[in-house]
Amino acid sequence: MTGRIRIGIGGWVYEPWRGSFYPAGLRQKDELAYVGAHLTATEINATYYSSQKPATFAGWAKAVPDGFQFAVKASRFCTNRKLLADAGESVAKFVGQGIAELGDRLGPILWQFMPTKKFDPEDFGAFLKLLPDSADGVPLRHALEVRHESFDDPRFLYLARQAGAAVVLADHPDYPAIRGEDVGFSYMRLMRAQADEPTGYSATDIARWANQASEQAARGDVFAFFISGAKERNPAAAQAMIVALE
């Protein structure tokens, strides 16, 4: 069965999007609903910095239509540490804060590691065993964004596959573009948007990423987010890719 392709951006509160992506005069409290009407996914950034209330997640879920999904960025207190094996308490706090309130709007959890974090097979393997399969009955999917070249290692790919975790494919000039093995879904973060390109990426590059997403959809759901780079262009890039997939 072919998976569903969801295309989005990082977050939804960004001043330069007002009057460019968001119509002039749109109330800030209506911006998430606007994202939900024009894109098919977004990453939640706020959860990286602090815990949120269950009611907040429930409100976000109600703001978007059926089929839309949020990728939830895991707390920095889980991943930005010397020993990942010691993250159990932080992982439990993050998972238990109320993300289950997103229900069927919950996409993957994004576990992002610092560019300075090197691959330690034993420690990383212990960390992966801390990641739960569900939260309050809602199934969880995990995506790993590693940024140090030491992770370009068959042992890392093996550990990720054994854990059922997707390896994030990063399109970035400084991070390794590591292609993970099939775990039933895939995750891309596209970070080379250019300010002088109205759609961030050229039409050729948009088509290339759309084709890759289509190929990956044969093996499960696909999540692709335009983030970073010339951030003001990312909504246009996401919309262009959605059109390219039609």
Side-chain angles (χ1 to χ4, degrees), residues 1-39:
M1 183 177 70
T2 302
R4 179 161 180 175
I5 302 172
R6 291 180 173 87
I7 312 297
I9 52 179
W12 56 88
V13 178
Y14 185 55
E15 214 293 343
W17 291 342
R18 295 168 186 152
S20 55
F21 174 48
Y22 297 131
L26 183 72
R27 297 178 303 177
Q28 184 172 335
K29 68 178 184 178
D30 294 329
E31 290 175 349
L32 176 56
Y34 191 87
V35 169
H38 292 83
L39 305 176

Side-chain angles (χ1 to χ4, degrees), residues 9-230:
I9 52 179
W12 56 88
V13 178
Y14 185 55
E15 214 293 343
W17 291 342
R18 295 168 186 152
S20 55
F21 174 48
Y22 297 131
L26 183 72
R27 297 178 303 177
Q28 184 172 335
K29 68 178 184 178
D30 294 329
E31 290 175 349
L32 176 56
Y34 191 87
V35 169
H38 292 83
L39 305 176
T40 48
T42 195
E43 291 182 347
I44 298 176
N45 294 322
T47 47
Y48 178 74
Y49 298 102
S50 62
S51 296
Q52 308 296 312
K53 296 179 180 179
T56 300
F57 291 103
W60 290 338
K62 291 178 182 177
V64 296
D66 288 345
F68 186 98
Q69 288 193 344
F70 296 91
V72 184
K73 197 170 182 180
S75 169
R76 56 184 172 169
F77 297 108
C78 298
T79 56
N80 296 356
R81 54 174 61 236
K82 184 175 181 179
L83 289 178
L84 294 172
D86 293 342
E89 185 176 341
S90 294
V91 170
K93 181 180 178 181
F94 166 75
V95 172
Q97 69 185 294
I99 61 174
E101 294 294 327
L102 292 173
D104 61 6
R105 270 77 163 167
L106 176 61
I109 295 174
L110 174 65
W111 303 89
Q112 184 185 86
F113 298 88
M114 297 288 285
T116 53
K117 188 62 178 177
K118 298 179 181 179
F119 177 50
D120 177 328
E122 182 176 352
D123 188 44
F124 205 85
F127 173 80
L128 292 177
K129 291 178 181 177
L130 300 174
L131 307 185
D133 295 328
S134 64
D136 295 329
V138 177
L140 300 181
R141 290 179 287 182
H142 303 287
L144 311 171
E145 185 184 16
V146 295
R147 296 180 164 187
H148 192 276
E149 60 185 9
S150 61
F151 282 90
D152 193 3
D153 185 316
R155 294 173 296 174
F156 166 62
L157 298 180
Y158 173 79
L159 288 172
R161 180 168 58 83
Q162 289 296 105
V167 176
V168 173
L169 176 61
D171 183 36
H172 189 280
D174 300 326
Y175 307 147
I178 301 175
R179 297 179 183 272
E181 299 180 13
D182 181 19
V183 294
F185 80 100
S186 56
Y187 198 120
M188 299 185 291
R189 301 186 92 220
L190 310 179
M191 298 177 272
R192 293 181 189 256
Q194 301 294 315
D196 59 357
E197 178 64 61
T199 55
Y201 279 68
S202 69
T204 299
D205 286 336
I206 292 284
R208 177 169 59 86
W209 286 112
N211 288 336
Q212 177 158 329
S214 295
E215 292 174 2
Q216 292 176 192
R219 298 183 292 277
D221 290 346
V222 179
F223 295 84
F225 296 98
F226 290 88
I227 63 159
S228 189

